[in-house]
Amino acid sequence: MELKSVKILIVDDEEDIREFLEYILKKEGADVMTAVNGEEALSKAEKEIPDLIILDKLMPILDGISTCKQLRQNDKFQKTKIVMLSAIGEEESQIEGLDIGADDYLVKPIKSKLLISKIKSILRSRDSNLPLNSEFIEYKHIRVDKSKFLAVIDSNEIILPKKEFELLFLLMSKPDHVFRREDILEKVWGKDVYIGDRTIDVHIRKIREKIGEDYFKTIKGIGYKFVAF
């Protein structure tokens, strides 16, 4: 995926970080804007409606958490992807960022190639998202047909047990979106069915054996996602 003409808003109070990110993203052809705090970011975002916002967590005037909350409450930014970027790498901080609507949480310092790869992956997931009531999903060499409970990998048909298929379909419906364990339990098993977290882990392990290890990432303490690459 190319970043040519993709609108990206960088929000960070550190000038060297802003300049570094702006430089590497412009090299990829992105249309880059910058802001020094959340208040300025909200103003610029309203005017430009960026495709993606890179948002520092700790900033003066309006921090990244508050900014992300306001963005997610505004229907204008329904399709805008938000990447939280912070020097704080603790699990609790990452969970907080994802809980309030960030699509990913990256820890500073981050190498330029990895950042570009992450951004491209997140933007691909925006373009390939499908509603959960869709009957058919396709990603690269993987196709799943909900009407037949059938998965096709490299032209080879794979019959999955019902819950494995529903879990695969759910994760593939939003590539690179982190599904929390409680959301998976509710959507796949239902609100009135009690099962332990270990059940999800077992189903993920079985899907990995059949589809491939690289497509399914465990987000420690949070849940799972289907990896778009």
Side-chain angles (χ1 to χ4, degrees):
M1 176 180 183
E2 302 254 336
L3 294 184
K4 188 176 180 180
S5 299
V6 173
K7 285 186 179 182
I8 299 178
L9 174 59
I10 299 166
V11 191
D12 201 301
D13 62 319
E14 296 183 52
E15 184 177 1
D16 57 338
I17 298 292
R18 291 197 309 273
E19 290 180 349
F20 166 71
L21 295 175
E22 184 176 12
Y23 173 73
I24 63 173
L25 290 170
K26 281 187 173 179
K27 277 184 65 177
E28 295 290 323
D31 179 4
V32 181
M33 304 161 279
T34 63
V36 300
N37 57 58
E39 193 173 273
E40 184 182 3
L42 290 172
S43 177
K44 288 191 173 182
E46 279 278 350
K47 296 175 183 176
E48 300 292 339
I49 312 297
D51 299 297
L52 181 137
I53 299 174
I54 300 175
L55 190 59
D56 185 28
K57 185 177 182 182
L58 299 179
M59 296 181 293
I61 303 178
L62 192 66
D63 64 20
I65 293 295
S66 300
T67 304
C68 186
K69 285 181 179 178
Q70 291 192 39
L71 288 165
R72 285 299 179 229
Q73 290 167 359
N74 190 330
D75 290 340
K76 287 184 179 180
F77 307 111
Q78 188 176 13
K79 294 184 178 180
T80 297
K81 293 294 184 179
I82 300 175
V83 176
M84 194 76 73
L85 186 62
S86 176
I88 304 173
E90 283 79 4
E91 183 178 303
E92 292 79 8
S93 183
Q94 295 184 44
I95 291 173
E96 181 184 23
L98 294 169
D99 273 350
I100 50 87
D103 295 283
D104 208 340
Y105 187 108
L106 306 179
V107 180
K108 299 177 184 177
I110 185 169
K111 293 184 178 180
S112 57
K113 287 185 179 179
L114 177 58
L115 177 64
I116 295 299
S117 177
K118 285 279 190 180
I119 288 173
K120 288 181 177 180
S121 178
I122 290 167
L123 290 172
R124 269 200 305 271
S125 75
R126 174 199 63 179
D127 297 334
S128 59
N129 280 354
L130 292 172
L132 290 180
N133 60 1
S134 173
E135 292 293 308
F136 183 83
I137 297 176
E138 183 170 12
Y139 181 79
K140 292 191 175 180
H141 66 295
I142 303 174
R143 291 183 289 125
V144 290
D145 187 337
K146 198 173 184 179
S147 66
K148 300 177 181 177
F149 278 87
L150 180 69
V152 179
I153 317 295
D154 288 325
S155 301
N156 297 313
E157 293 187 0
I158 298 176
I159 306 297
L160 300 174
K162 187 173 185 289
K163 292 304 180 186
E164 285 181 32
F165 182 89
E166 289 178 352
L167 178 54
L168 171 64
F169 197 90
L170 175 66
L171 296 178
M172 283 189 65
S173 70
K174 293 184 177 182
D176 279 322
H177 172 81
V178 179
F179 284 92
R180 298 180 63 82
R181 285 179 171 271
E182 52 266 36
D183 294 331
I184 293 173
L185 288 173
E186 180 178 330
K187 288 181 170 64
V188 176
W189 279 272
K191 294 181 180 180
D192 301 323
V193 178
Y194 176 77
I195 64 167
D197 281 353
R198 181 62 181 154
T199 302
I200 299 177
D201 300 333
V202 170
H203 280 71
I204 289 289
R205 176 175 56 79
K206 291 180 178 179
I207 293 172
R208 281 174 169 154
E209 291 173 355
K210 298 167 184 175
I211 307 298
E213 290 279 344
D214 296 336
Y215 284 106
F216 305 94
K217 183 176 181 180
T218 303
I219 310 300
K220 187 178 178 182
I222 302 173
Y224 292 96
K225 71 176 181 179
F226 179 82
V227 180
F229 56 85

